[in-house]
Amino acid sequence: MTLKDASCGDLVVIKDFLGEEEIIKKLSAMGVRKGSQFSIEQKCGRNLLIRNGQNRLIISKELAEKVVVDLVKKGEGYCEEISCELIDKACPEEGKPLTQRHRHRKRWGFLHKICPFLKD
Amino acid sequence: MKKVKVALVGNPNVGKTSLLNHLAGTDLKIGNWPGVTVEKKVGKTQFQDYEIEFIDLPGVYTLESAFSEDEKITVSFLKEGDYDVVLNVIESPRLERDLYLTLQLVELKKPLVIALNMRDEAEALGIHIDEKRLSDLFKIKVVKTVGRTGEGVKELLSAIVETYERKLIPEFEVFSFSEEFDTEEKKLSLIKGIYKEVIKKPLIPKKNLTEFVDEFLLHPYLGFFFLFVILYFTFKLVFDLSSPFVDFIDGFFQEFLAPALAVFLKSLGAEEFIINFFTEALLGGLGIVLSFLPLIFIMFLFITLLETSGYLPRVAFLVDRFTHKIGLHGQSAIPLILGFGCNVPAILATRTIQDRKDRLLIIAMIPFMSCSARLVVFSFFALTFFTRPALLILGLYIMGIVFAFLTGFIMKKTLLKKELSHFVMDLPPYRFPSLKVLIKTVNLHVKRFIIRAGTVIFAIAVTIWLTLSLPPGERELEKTLAGKIGKTLVPLFEPVGLGDWKITTSLIPAFLAREAILSNLAIILKAEEREKLEEFQLLPALEEQKEALFEAFKQAFSSLFTLTPASLKPEEEGQSLRGKIRDLLTPSSALSFLIFVLIYNSCVATFVTMWKEGSKNLALGFLLYSFILAWILAFITYRIF
Ligand SMILES: Nc1nc2c(ncn2[C@@H]2O[C@H](COP(=O)(O)OP(=O)(O)O)[C@@H](O)[C@H]2O)c(=O)[nH]1
Ligand SMILES: [Mg+2]
């Protein structure tokens, strides 16, 4: 699985990276290295907040998708409770079509105002 | 005397600049977020028989590839620059991360010293680093330091000298440089090995304050609540704590200094021309700008607190959920917030942004953030014309933010179309600067404000005052040079309710510095009604000032205990500058004026920085755009209200 698939509270160990981009080098330099363990402190909106000891990083999901991890310990406890569902669902990600429920809304509905990129 | 050049290199936010400030006694800007230093800065000191020059470089994580403008500066300096010793600053609690860069620095084959900074934080966490062992492994000097207080700086200086004299180039004892060293895997295990050798830390890490506070401040929902509360109180306190003192200083200039100086000059037998110059241009014009010193002071106190506490990167994390809808990283919130202090350093702060298009976009948004110069103009006019000044100013700030994002959104969809790029950012623990550093930083900002008033605004004030007396002997101000220039511009500003030549004359030089609007108006209005010298007695007047000062303290103090911004009562009509300006404008044209000042990019420093950091087209295009936008908005405001 990738870092993006890990849920809030999980402890994972980094196995590999997908792709050869320069940014992977930066990740390594910042401490996201093969073999290091990270716990996921928050997963909300577009970003993950991860921690290894005193090293805490904010990393976007697109980048987290390039990091292959193994689950060490499944998360439990408070972290799931403060879910970000409400925020994540209020505005679907850019590019994704609206779900059925929204389709009949008017073009200038409230949703369009807060998510201006939505088409139809 | 021998000269030694030392390059400070390390990950961002490890305390390089703090250390340099102690090493060389400089006053360089620090802050608790990655990306404070974006330029190469130099500090010098003398130690024993050496003149040591330190070069502070922007932080980098790796030398292999530079991602942003600031990182490029460091990487190219290390490759081509002129330096004798590398001082690698390491954040002790995150030694393992920082060693990655250290290994790359080893490959430079230059004399190297390691400073294990933030020793205090490491100790508080129960982390112990065996610096002797580290020093043996690399065969170089390793010194523990505290950048916050300057502990260990003396030892560091002698270590630097020794490194220079003995050419202590790092080499490994146990881990020899083998052919395979260049593989990433080997390097990582080498780091792990070194780390294990030198570190002792508790098995179960202590839960620290940062984690506790972040449970609230980074909470998905509560976080926004606290963000709002923090910004609201910042705004309220900036306004409430300063306004009693602004009033006091204003009164001190107008009611005490000006008449006292006039009486004094008269007793010396000075000519009327000289007396007018001092009371009108100097105390009338410049004084009004300087009276806003308390506002500037408190404003920068709060901005510095935000910057040095480590809250800024948290804001970046929180607001990312919204900014990414217009295709921007939350990180862009940092320069935007800095823009509330001054747009110029805010534009420089965009250097940390990796993508050039993102960078241009944010540069185009920054001028909409109301800087302190605008706050000065806003507070003056808001207090003069409106019954709820704090609310109005808050409204103007929000309006600026809205237009920043609208501009960003439109540019994103048209000129700067692109995909959202990757994003990774370091989240530092909360830190509190020493009081000394805090006061020093704020004082620097204040000094800059005074210097600006003392040079640019002073020059403008004198020019305006002189043009008001040309041609010589002209009694009617409208027929003077200043009046004529202002009048030619009247048609342009008439439709937005600013058809008075006094206003337009004040607006032109404001392109150099916005605060000049106030000094210009003050000079013009003072010249219009030259006052007769009244009876003035020093001692009773002094007594009056003393009482006013006491009153100011009382007001500021009591404002600490209210929730809503105290709305000060507008002054009654009269001789004061406020009264005169109130005769000049109606509330609706005053509002349209404020909106014009908010939106139009009238600041030569911002313009030049946009040109240098962005491009010529951006700077010129934005100037035109902001003028047209400002004009249209002012027009709408004037017609509606
Ligand atoms: N507790 C502690 N804080 C430090 C120390 N050195 C620097 N800081 C703080 O760390 C933050 C980053 O410092 P700065 O000098 O701007 O780091 P730079 O980005 O490497 O130049 C600031 O908030 C400093 O006050 C230290 O030794 N101990
Ligand atoms: Mg720095």
Side-chain angles (χ1 to χ4, degrees):
Chain A
M1 67 187 223
T2 67
L3 183 57
K4 190 189 171 197
D5 309 319
S7 10
C8 185
D10 288 357
L11 183 68
V12 297
V13 60
I14 290 163
K15 282 283 151 200
D16 205 358
F17 296 97
L18 301 173
E20 286 289 311
E21 285 168 73
E22 294 277 283
I23 189 95
I24 304 284
K25 282 190 188 142
K26 184 167 177 183
L27 276 183
S28 265
M30 288 178 88
V32 185
R33 301 170 187 160
K34 279 183 203 173
S36 53
Q37 286 193 355
F38 276 90
S39 59
I40 287 93
E41 294 202 324
Q42 253 194 53
K43 193 179 173 186
C44 195
R46 200 170 56 96
N47 297 309
L48 285 91
L49 177 63
I50 57 175
R51 160 196 287 269
N52 166 359
Q54 295 311 308
N55 204 7
R56 285 169 104 198
L57 298 168
I58 299 164
I59 175 171
S60 65
K61 284 182 181 164
E62 305 94 79
L63 202 52
E65 225 170 354
K66 297 182 195 296
V67 184
V68 182
V69 297
D70 265 353
L71 192 65
V72 175
K73 212 172 92 197
K74 189 87 200 112
E76 51 190 64
Y78 76 99
C79 193
E80 297 297 332
E81 278 165 41
I82 44 169
S83 95
C84 301
E85 274 206 344
L86 201 78
I87 291 168
D88 290 348
K89 292 214 173 117
C91 228
E93 274 166 55
E94 192 159 3
K96 284 204 181 139
L98 269 177
T99 52
Q100 205 70 35
R101 199 158 52 86
H102 298 129
R103 200 161 276 163
H104 64 273
R105 292 209 179 179
K106 267 198 186 153
R107 214 169 188 288
W108 298 103
F110 173 64
L111 213 77
H112 284 279
K113 283 186 190 142
I114 55 170
C115 313
F117 52 81
L118 289 180
K119 293 175 200 90
D120 297 318
Chain B
M1 194 172 276
K2 287 187 201 168
K3 283 193 179 168
V4 187
K5 286 191 176 167
V6 182
L8 276 99
V9 192
N11 284 181
N13 209 34
V14 296
K16 298 178 293 296
T17 309
S18 301
L19 266 184
L20 174 60
N21 284 345
H22 286 290
L23 284 166
T26 44
D27 287 330
L28 298 174
K29 195 178 148 199
I30 64 151
N32 189 16
W33 47 282
V36 182
T37 310
V38 288
E39 292 166 292
K40 200 171 76 193
K41 287 270 165 79
V42 177
K44 271 186 197 156
T45 190
Q46 310 225 334
F47 182 73
Q48 293 166 359
D49 225 7
Y50 299 86
E51 188 187 88
I52 308 181
E53 181 181 306
F54 292 96
I55 300 125
D56 188 23
L57 295 165
V60 288
Y61 293 104
T62 168
L63 301 180
E64 280 176 297
S65 43
F67 292 90
S68 49
E69 224 49 52
D70 59 329
E71 289 174 342
K72 278 177 200 149
I73 294 173
T74 306
V75 172
S76 74
F77 181 81
L78 286 178
K79 290 209 174 108
E80 292 137 26
D82 169 28
Y83 56 96
D84 307 304
V85 177
V86 177
L87 172 56
N88 179 205
V89 184
I90 284 179
E91 182 177 342
S92 301
R94 300 204 239 185
L95 176 67
E96 192 176 359
R97 177 196 69 174
D98 292 22
L99 280 174
Y100 193 92
L101 182 68
T102 308
L103 285 194
Q104 293 181 344
L105 292 174
V106 165
E107 286 166 39
L108 289 175
K109 305 242 188 297
K110 281 264 187 182
L112 182 78
V113 193
I114 289 179
L116 290 173
N117 196 34
M118 306 211 181
R119 164 205 193 137
D120 54 333
E121 280 191 1
E123 273 166 12
L125 291 162
I127 297 171
H128 178 80
I129 300 174
D130 184 353
E131 82 261 36
K132 296 256 160 42
R133 187 75 190 116
L134 195 62
S135 153
D136 289 345
L137 286 176
F138 283 100
K139 295 221 165 48
I140 54 169
K141 293 247 132 196
V142 178
V143 183
K144 284 191 177 175
T145 55
V146 180
R148 199 167 171 271
T149 58
E151 223 180 291
V153 160
K154 278 263 150 61
E155 293 84 338
L156 190 57
L157 280 172
S158 25
I160 288 169
V161 167
E162 194 182 329
T163 306
Y164 174 73
E165 281 305 334
R166 292 175 44 201
K167 297 263 170 300
L168 292 178
I169 297 171
E171 48 185 299
F172 288 107
E173 179 193 355
V174 279
F175 322 91
S176 63
F177 266 118
S178 63
E179 302 290 279
E180 308 117 296
F181 175 68
D182 47 61
T183 71
E184 186 81 4
E185 219 106 316
K186 281 264 151 50
K187 202 157 146 194
L188 291 182
S189 53
L190 183 58
I191 292 172
K192 268 223 152 78
I194 299 173
Y195 182 68
K196 289 236 170 78
E197 275 283 313
V198 301
I199 200 119
K200 253 195 243 126
K201 61 173 182 183
L203 276 178
I204 301 156
K206 291 185 199 166
K207 196 157 174 120
N208 54 24
L209 186 71
T210 294
E211 274 172 72
F212 177 74
V213 175
D214 272 347
E215 262 169 44
F216 297 96
L217 296 190
L218 279 187
H219 188 282
Y221 308 128
L222 280 181
F224 286 101
F225 171 73
F226 285 111
L227 174 63
F228 177 77
V229 168
I230 290 171
L231 290 184
Y232 176 80
F233 276 97
T234 304
F235 180 80
K236 177 195 137 51
L237 287 179
V238 165
F239 200 69
D240 280 1
L241 285 181
S242 66
S243 59
F245 296 104
V246 172
D247 284 348
F248 164 74
I249 296 184
D250 185 32
F252 185 72
F253 268 105
Q254 312 299 328
E255 282 146 34
F256 181 75
L257 271 188
L261 191 65
V263 169
F264 174 69
L265 287 173
K266 197 151 198 192
S267 72
L268 288 184
E271 280 184 40
E272 201 186 319
F273 179 79
I274 302 286
I275 298 178
N276 282 344
F277 173 76
F278 276 98
T279 55
E280 287 167 10
L282 263 181
L283 292 177
L286 207 53
I288 202 116
V289 175
L290 285 178
S291 68
F292 283 93
L293 214 63
L295 187 76
I296 299 297
F297 179 85
I298 295 178
M299 167 101 193
F300 278 109
L301 181 72
F302 276 91
I303 289 198
T304 309
L305 271 178
L306 275 184
E307 268 198 78
T308 50
S309 62
Y311 189 58
L312 278 187
R314 267 109 186 146
V315 176
F317 177 63
L318 282 175
V319 301
D320 186 80
R321 269 166 248 166
F322 303 107
T323 54
H324 93 263
K325 309 263 182 231
I326 65 157
L328 277 180
H329 293 307
Q331 194 192 8
S332 50
I334 296 180
L336 290 178
I337 292 176
L338 294 181
F340 288 133
C342 175
N343 290 173
V344 173
I347 293 175
L348 288 179
T350 60
R351 284 192 185 176
T352 53
I353 288 162
Q354 285 177 25
D355 190 275
R356 169 125 183 112
K357 279 187 175 174
D358 282 352
R359 216 184 139 205
L360 289 179
L361 190 71
I362 296 163
I363 293 180
M365 289 167 76
I366 288 172
F368 289 109
M369 301 286 126
S370 291
C371 60
S372 51
R374 264 170 281 189
L375 183 61
V376 166
V377 179
F378 290 171
S379 8
F380 183 85
F381 278 84
L383 283 172
T384 308
F385 285 96
F386 302 94
T387 43
R388 303 170 87 180
L391 214 62
L392 177 76
I393 294 176
L394 189 64
L396 286 168
Y397 269 75
I398 292 175
M399 185 172 165
I401 297 171
V402 168
F403 276 96
F405 278 90
L406 275 180
T407 305
F409 183 69
I410 293 168
M411 281 181 77
K412 194 86 203 174
K413 292 283 150 187
T414 53
L415 297 173
L416 299 172
K417 242 181 187 154
K418 69 173 268 293
E419 295 278 293
L420 198 64
S421 52
H422 300 314
F423 177 48
V424 51
M425 191 173 78
D426 176 64
L427 198 64
Y430 291 104
R431 291 189 175 118
F432 287 92
S434 59
L435 198 65
K436 215 172 109 196
V437 171
L438 188 68
I439 300 286
K440 226 181 187 177
T441 315
V442 176
N443 273 347
L444 273 180
H445 286 296
V446 169
K447 225 197 249 160
R448 217 169 291 151
F449 178 78
I450 296 177
I451 290 173
R452 196 161 120 124
T455 52
V456 180
I457 299 174
F458 176 72
I460 296 174
V462 172
T463 316
I464 287 279
W465 188 80
L466 284 177
T467 48
L468 278 172
S469 340
L470 288 176
E474 180 60 67
R475 282 271 149 200
E476 271 180 80
L477 290 182
E478 274 182 59
K479 291 195 181 132
T480 61
L481 185 61
K484 278 185 191 141
I485 296 173
K487 279 202 150 168
T488 45
L489 281 178
V490 161
L492 189 59
F493 287 97
E494 182 97 69
V496 299
L498 306 174
D500 197 299
W501 69 270
K502 292 166 207 139
I503 298 282
T504 47
T505 309
S506 313
L507 271 175
I508 318 164
F511 183 69
L512 294 173
R514 260 180 266 243
E515 306 94 310
I517 292 174
L518 284 189
S519 58
N520 298 343
L521 271 176
I523 290 168
I524 297 174
L525 292 173
K526 273 227 158 185
E528 203 171 36
E529 266 179 55
R530 296 217 154 120
E531 295 151 27
K532 285 246 163 59
L533 277 186
E534 294 159 28
E535 284 296 298
F536 177 80
Q537 275 167 345
L538 193 66
L539 283 181
L542 210 57
E543 189 68 24
E544 228 169 74
Q545 292 304 317
K546 206 178 80 194
E547 269 165 40
L549 183 62
F550 180 69
E551 190 59 33
F553 270 106
K554 220 169 72 187
Q555 264 190 37
F557 186 71
S558 66
S559 74
L560 286 175
F561 303 101
T562 56
L563 278 179
T564 50
S567 67
L568 296 169
K569 282 177 238 96
E571 251 172 69
E572 56 296 339
E573 311 272 333
Q575 280 300 302
S576 69
L577 180 64
R578 289 215 168 112
K580 283 182 223 156
I581 288 184
R582 214 174 307 147
D583 298 336
L584 202 64
L585 291 169
T586 62
S588 102
S589 52
L591 191 60
S592 114
F593 174 73
L594 287 185
I595 287 177
F596 192 84
V597 173
L598 168 73
I599 303 288
Y600 178 48
N601 182 25
S602 64
C603 167
V604 78
T606 308
F607 178 76
V608 171
T609 317
M610 278 178 106
W611 187 311
K612 269 199 261 169
E613 297 293 315
S615 69
K616 180 175 110 187
N617 289 342
L618 180 73
L620 289 171
F622 189 82
L623 196 66
L624 189 67
Y625 165 75
S626 69
F627 182 84
I628 294 172
L629 187 66
W631 196 91
I632 293 173
L633 288 173
F635 181 79
I636 295 172
T637 317
Y638 182 60
R639 298 288 137 164
I640 289 181
F641 293 101

